[in-house]
């Protein structure tokens, strides 16, 4: 068995002293002050004096090593022991070879596939605990926020499409009902069940009560007056205006 150690750095490779200083201050406030997290680089040391991590490159593997605690790109912060692995040095080297193939440098992503994600997977394969949550919390929160925003935008587009489609159907239905009601008298009895007036009353009952009318006599009573025809015409005009408004919206 051998010790597995995690090395943590403040990310200070922006090329601007002011930006680097700001990041260090952010890490002090959010990690040292309230324990929430910060902007960190991490690397794993196991067997020997080298630490292993992951970064961007245009070609080849993004997995690389350097002397432990001495990565020149970042500002060293602290280290911690994550446990002890039962694997031999030969087995650890095999794991690193596999990870080198699976983690090309071109696949690097600041929020979803960074050095901390690599160290998490490496530690999992070594059989020790993963990184503390605060090490990569900012990246995880940013990735989740982007996913939520994308899903919300997709649902809004789908909802708009459904509203426009429903408006078209309802508008055409009410226009047809109004035209039929204005064109002549309705027949009585069971023949009303196939008439536009019956359909209009049935449609109205679906909206107001959620169920079909129980009898043709109720429909006859609801649909028999000129006042009801007037209401249907107003409904058609309102639906036409809503449909036209939806067509004009971006």
């Amino acid at each position: 068995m051998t010790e597995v150690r995690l090395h943590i750095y403040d990310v200070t490779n922006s090329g601007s002293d002011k930006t680097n200083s700001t990041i260090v201050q952010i890490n002090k406030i959010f990690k040292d002050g309230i324990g929430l997290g910060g902007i960190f680089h991490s690397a794993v040391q196991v067997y020997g004096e080298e630490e292993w991590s992951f970064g961007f490159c245009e070609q080849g593997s993004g997995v690389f090593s350097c002397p432990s605690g001495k990565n020149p790109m970042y500002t060293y912060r602290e280290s911690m022991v994550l446990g002890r692995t039962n694997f031999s040095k030969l087995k650890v080297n095999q794991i690193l070879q596999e990870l080198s193939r699976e983690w090309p440098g071109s696949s690097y992503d600041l929020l979803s596939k960074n050095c901390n994600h690599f160290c998490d997977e490496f530690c999992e394969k070594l059989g020790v605990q993963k990184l503390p949550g605060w090490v990569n919390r900012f990246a995880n929160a940013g990735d989740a926020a982007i996913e939520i925003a994308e899903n919300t935008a997709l649902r809004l587009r789908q909802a708009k499409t459904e509203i426009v489609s429903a408006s078209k159907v309802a508008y055409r239905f009410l226009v047809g009902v109004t035209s039929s009601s204005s064109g002549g008298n309705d027949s009585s009895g069971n023949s009303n069940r196939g008439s536009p007036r019956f359909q209009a009353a049935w449609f109205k009952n679906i909206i107001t009560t959620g169920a079909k009318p129980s009898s043709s006599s109720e429909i006859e009573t609801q649909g028999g007056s000129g006042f009801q025809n007037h209401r249907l015409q107003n409904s058609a005009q309102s639906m036409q205006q809503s449909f036209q408004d939806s067509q004009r919206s971006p």
Side-chain angles (χ1 to χ4, degrees):
M1 296 178 68
T2 190
E3 182 179 88
V4 178
R5 181 174 291 271
L6 179 71
H7 296 279
I8 302 171
Y9 301 77
D10 292 318
V11 175
T12 53
N13 63 335
S14 68
S16 166
D17 291 340
K18 184 177 180 180
T19 300
N20 293 340
S21 177
T22 300
I23 291 174
V24 171
Q25 292 302 316
I26 288 173
N27 289 349
K28 286 182 179 179
I29 294 171
F30 285 94
K31 198 281 174 181
D32 301 336
I34 60 179
L36 181 62
I39 305 171
F40 303 111
H41 170 80
S42 63
V44 174
Q45 177 185 0
V46 56
Y47 283 116
E49 298 302 319
E50 295 286 301
E51 65 179 34
W52 295 87
S53 190
F54 171 73
F56 172 80
C57 62
E58 293 182 355
Q59 295 182 345
S61 175
V63 178
F64 68 94
S65 66
C66 68
S68 296
K70 297 180 180 179
N71 189 319
M73 296 178 62
Y74 309 107
T75 302
Y76 192 76
R77 164 175 278 268
E78 61 184 288
S79 69
M80 62 184 69
V81 177
L82 298 179
R84 299 179 69 85
T85 182
N86 293 321
F87 293 131
S88 65
K89 186 175 182 178
L90 177 61
K91 178 61 178 178
V92 170
N93 286 337
Q94 290 176 349
I95 292 173
L96 284 169
Q97 289 175 3
E98 293 173 1
L99 292 174
S100 295
R101 292 191 295 267
E102 296 169 0
W103 291 73
S106 58
S107 68
Y108 180 91
D109 184 271
L110 181 62
L111 297 181
S112 62
K113 195 171 184 179
N114 61 31
C115 57
N116 300 318
H117 295 106
F118 168 81
C119 290
D120 252 346
E121 184 169 338
F122 189 19
C123 289
E124 184 178 11
K125 289 182 178 294
L126 291 174
V128 298
Q129 67 181 25
K130 291 186 175 184
L131 279 60
W134 58 265
V135 175
N136 206 32
R137 183 166 289 132
F138 278 19
N140 291 334
D143 192 38
I146 290 175
E147 183 177 357
I148 291 171
E150 290 175 346
N151 290 338
T152 300
L154 176 61
R155 290 174 182 173
L156 286 174
R157 289 194 296 270
Q158 292 174 339
K160 180 180 178 181
T161 300
E162 292 172 359
I163 290 171
V164 171
S165 299
S167 298
K168 289 179 180 180
V169 173
Y171 166 69
R172 290 168 183 166
F173 176 81
L174 288 177
V175 167
V177 168
T178 304
S179 300
S180 299
S181 299
S182 301
N185 296 327
D186 294 327
S187 59
S188 60
N190 292 335
S191 62
N192 284 334
R193 293 191 176 275
S195 68
R197 182 170 295 176
F198 171 82
Q199 295 171 0
W202 179 79
F203 182 73
K204 177 177 178 295
N205 273 273
I206 290 178
I207 297 174
T208 56
T209 66
K212 291 186 178 180
S214 58
S215 66
S216 60
S217 60
E218 295 178 14
I219 300 166
E220 195 70 29
T221 301
Q222 293 174 3
S225 65
F227 176 72
Q228 180 67 18
N229 288 338
H230 180 67
R231 288 184 63 185
L232 284 172
Q233 291 172 356
N234 288 342
S235 297
Q237 292 171 357
S238 299
M239 183 60 70
Q240 182 179 12
Q241 185 62 40
S242 298
F243 173 70
Q244 292 172 349
D245 291 343
S246 70
Q247 291 292 89
R248 286 196 297 269
S249 64

